[in-house]
């Protein structure tokens, strides 16, 4: 196994840390080096994308081991398909398109072993037990409401709201228009508001 792949993080990246680090080398030149069989260039790509890839994989599959497998499989697929990448295009959307498609296929093909709760980015220091319970309940309601969204809307919300991808980035990843992304976001937000409002009414009754 490639040494860089063995360093897949053992914890999901925090939602707010999704933005890419400054690119130290022109990515098209880096990809060209990978095409020529430069293992060090591939290691650089792995290091550059691994943390965000794991965060997205975890959102898709909800299980640490499955997410690690998906990330490793995606990097191997990228290496095998690197000659199909069109020079001059952005590498990131192409990479995440492969990861998301493989993740969605995995989600359909098998039941995830055990769904883990995504850890909070920060600890709720000094929070009362009552407040902690309220937050846990709200998180559970949101997760349940998300699960009832159509799959494409759920993926778009996960990428946009939780992992910080911009609308045009999501459009490239999913190969749809930016306007379609915005429409799905609007519809998903409306559906989530209705779900949570219905739950509140049920609790009050």
């Amino acid at each position: 196994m490639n040494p860089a792949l063995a360093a897949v993080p053992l914890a999901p990246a925090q939602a707010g840390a999704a933005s890419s680090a400054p690119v130290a080398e022109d990515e098209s030149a880096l990809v060209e080096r990978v095409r020529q069989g430069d293992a060090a260039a591939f290691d650089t790509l792995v290091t550059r994308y691994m943390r965000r890839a794991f965060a997205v994989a975890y959102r898709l599959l909800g299980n640490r081991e499955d997410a690690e497998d998906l990330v490793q499989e995606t990097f191997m697929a990228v290496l095998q398909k690197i000659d199909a990448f069109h020079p001059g295009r952005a590498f990131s959307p192409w990479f995440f398109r492969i990861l998301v498609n493989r993740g969605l296929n995995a989600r359909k093909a098998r039941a995830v072993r055990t769904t883990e709760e995504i850890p909070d980015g920060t600890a709720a220091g000094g929070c009362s037990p009552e407040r902690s319970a309220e937050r846990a309940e709200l998180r559970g309601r949101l997760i349940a409401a998300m699960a009832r969204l159509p799959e494409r809307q759920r993926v778009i919300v996960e990428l946009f709201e939780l992992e910080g991808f911009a609308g045009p980035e999501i459009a490239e990843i999913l190969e749809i228009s930016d306007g379609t992304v915005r429409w799905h976001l609007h519809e998903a937000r409306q559906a989530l508001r209705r779900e949570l409002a219905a739950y509140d009414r049920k609790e009050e009754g």
Side-chain angles (χ1 to χ4, degrees), residues 148-194:
R148 286 190 283 272
L149 290 174
E151 183 170 73
R152 172 160 287 186
Q153 288 183 11
R154 178 183 170 189
V155 170
I156 289 173
V157 170
E158 289 170 339
L159 293 177
F160 186 87
E161 300 285 4
L162 303 180
E163 294 306 328
F165 285 87
E169 289 180 297
I170 298 171
E172 283 201 66
I173 290 168
L174 299 181
E175 297 183 291
I176 57 179
S177 71
D178 189 25
T180 300
V181 170
R182 291 196 300 269
W183 181 84
H184 279 300
L185 275 173
H186 173 77
E187 292 296 303
R189 286 167 174 163
Q190 292 290 97
L192 290 174
R193 289 191 190 103
R194 287 194 299 269

Side-chain angles (χ1 to χ4, degrees), residues 59-115:
R59 297 289 180 189
L60 289 171
L61 300 180
N63 175 276
R64 191 182 311 277
E65 290 79 12
D66 289 336
E68 289 172 352
D69 289 346
L70 175 59
V71 171
Q72 292 179 8
E73 291 165 7
T74 298
F75 278 118
M76 289 298 96
V78 164
L79 189 58
Q80 293 167 2
K81 297 173 183 285
I82 196 68
D83 288 335
F85 175 72
H86 298 290
R89 297 189 64 181
F91 177 80
S92 177
W94 182 74
F95 171 83
F96 282 106
R97 184 181 308 135
I98 293 173
L99 185 144
V100 169
N101 285 340
R102 292 179 75 91
L104 292 178
N105 288 338
R107 195 155 76 181
K108 292 174 183 176
R110 67 179 186 265
V112 176
R113 287 187 289 273
T114 303
T115 300

